[in-house]
């Protein structure tokens, strides 16, 4: 039949692994993801161990049980570097049965510039007869192995996605950082973006050296130091502002001290 109602009772078995893959890939993505666990460790210089975990490979659910999975890495060579790939070889037998077998692809060693092994790219969604799926990268420096690197993207849970969406929509409203007769400084965070607006009338008087002004509360601090320009209301004098990751705001003026100045800034939150 050209059309199949997959989730329905019928007289024959009609739900195939390929149909399940198509459904999962449409819902979660066509890539290769780590859903949970799979802690990677080098138990010895030539034995890679993966703990229990759950993977999603090209729409196929794959589980590693409590016993974990091991791969044997060929010994390294003194004064040579090498990069191997550990993963699974997918294959389909003559009876149509599918399987995953652990496999290691050995890279090309070199004293300074080793190259990773090559393998045929593809997807289980294309119904291949055989395919290699890399899970971890193992780098060897001489006979010593570095900590392994997972090659799977981490897929967040629906709850985590919901939390992320909530954070993107979160709005603190304008919060007073410094409010007085001479100084009005406010900050606002919308999602991951912080807005700061400060106006000073004969309060803090910056000059030719950096002058500490005030400090932003946690949640309003930048992910990296931010520099921006302000303006002096008392003359044509450059006002420069620095906002550090600690939240500290400092100002400096070129030419003279000023008491009437203002600035506005926006930046990604830490």
């Amino acid at each position: 039949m050209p059309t199949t109602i997959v989730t329905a009772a019928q007289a024959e078995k009609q739900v195939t692994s390929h149909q399940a893959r198509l459904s999962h890939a449409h819902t979660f993505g066509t890539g290769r993801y780590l859903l949970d666990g799979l802690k990677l460790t080098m138990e010895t210089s030539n034995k890679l161990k993966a703990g229990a975990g759950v993977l999603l490979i090209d729409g196929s659910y794959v589980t590693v049980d409590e016993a974990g999975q091991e791969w044997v890495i060929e010994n390294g060579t003194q004064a040579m570097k090498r990069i191997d790939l550990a993963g699974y070889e997918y294959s389909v037998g003559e009876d149509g049965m599918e399987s995953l077998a652990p496999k290691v692809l050995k890279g090309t060693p070199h004293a300074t510039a080793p190259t990773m092994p090559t393998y045929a790219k593809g997807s289980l969604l294309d119904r291949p007869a055989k395919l290699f799926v890399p899970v971890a990268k193992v780098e060897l420096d001489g006979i010593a192995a570095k900590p392994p690197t997972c090659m799977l993207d981490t897929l967040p849970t629906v709850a985590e996605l919901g939390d992320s969406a909530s954070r993107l929509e979160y709005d603190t409203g304008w919060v007073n950082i410094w409010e007085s007769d001479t100084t009005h400084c406010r900050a606002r965070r919308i999602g991951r973006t912080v807005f700061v607006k400060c106006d000073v009338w004969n309060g803090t008087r910056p000059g030719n050296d950096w002058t500490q002004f005030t400090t932003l509360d946690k949640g309003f601090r930048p992910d990296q130091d931010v520099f921006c320009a302000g303006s002096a209301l008392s003359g044509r004098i450059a006002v420069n502002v620095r906002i550090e990751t600690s939240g500290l705001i400092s100002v400096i003026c070129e030419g003279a001290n000023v008491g009437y100045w203002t600035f506005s800034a926006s930046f990604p939150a830490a």
Side-chain angles (χ1 to χ4, degrees):
M1 292 177 61
T3 303
T4 301
I5 178 170
V6 177
T7 53
Q10 295 187 21
E12 59 183 12
K13 295 180 180 180
Q14 87 286 359
V15 181
T16 66
S17 59
H18 182 68
Q19 289 169 326
R21 284 185 196 122
L22 291 174
S23 175
H24 298 152
H26 177 76
T27 303
F28 305 109
T30 59
R32 294 166 179 178
Y33 309 104
L34 173 61
L35 303 185
D36 185 52
L38 204 75
K39 181 180 180 181
L40 297 170
T41 55
M42 293 300 299
E43 293 198 322
T44 66
S45 60
N46 65 344
K47 183 184 290 186
L48 169 65
K49 177 72 175 290
V54 184
L55 322 176
L56 186 64
I57 305 297
D58 305 336
S60 259
Y61 276 112
V62 177
T63 62
V64 179
D65 64 21
E66 289 76 9
Q69 178 68 63
E70 291 186 352
W71 291 268
V72 176
I73 308 297
E74 186 176 315
N75 289 332
T77 305
Q78 290 284 5
M80 300 292 282
K81 301 179 186 293
R82 199 178 81 228
I83 303 174
D84 292 355
L85 295 178
Y88 294 99
E89 184 172 72
Y90 165 86
S91 60
V92 182
E94 294 182 359
D95 57 0
M97 296 296 101
E98 302 168 287
S99 63
L100 282 179
K103 184 174 183 177
V104 176
L105 300 184
K106 181 182 174 182
T108 302
H110 192 274
T112 58
T115 56
M116 286 196 298
T118 59
Y119 59 94
K121 303 295 192 297
S123 170
L124 299 183
L125 296 167
D126 298 328
R127 302 188 182 187
K130 186 172 290 189
L131 184 69
F132 178 73
V133 179
V135 170
K137 180 174 68 175
V138 178
E139 298 184 54
L140 295 101
D141 189 348
I143 61 174
K146 297 181 181 180
T149 302
C150 184
M151 300 189 69
L152 305 173
D153 295 327
T154 299
L155 192 67
T157 65
V158 173
E160 289 169 338
L161 289 174
D163 290 342
S164 298
S166 297
R167 287 194 294 269
L168 289 174
E169 296 174 357
Y170 179 68
D171 185 349
T172 64
W174 286 105
V175 176
N176 288 332
I177 303 299
W178 186 348
E179 186 67 22
S180 69
D181 292 340
T182 62
T183 303
H184 304 281
C185 186
R186 301 183 298 166
R188 181 175 189 171
R189 178 170 175 169
I190 303 176
R192 284 211 60 219
T193 303
V194 175
F195 303 87
V196 179
K197 178 173 174 55
C198 295
D199 304 295
V200 179
W201 293 273
N202 205 25
T204 300
R205 301 179 68 86
N208 290 323
D209 294 322
W210 285 105
T211 301
Q212 295 184 3
F213 172 54
T214 189
T215 300
L216 296 173
D217 295 334
K218 289 183 178 180
F220 294 93
R221 298 173 182 177
D223 61 350
Q224 59 182 339
D225 290 352
V226 173
F227 293 85
C228 62
S231 61
L233 305 182
S234 57
R236 296 180 179 179
I237 301 173
V239 177
N240 297 306
V241 180
R242 179 179 65 202
I243 307 175
E244 301 177 36
T245 56
S246 65
L248 178 64
I249 301 177
S250 302
V251 291
I252 188 173
C253 294
E254 298 177 6
N257 288 5
V258 297
Y260 301 88
W261 54 277
T262 183
F263 81 90
S264 297
S266 62
F267 47 81

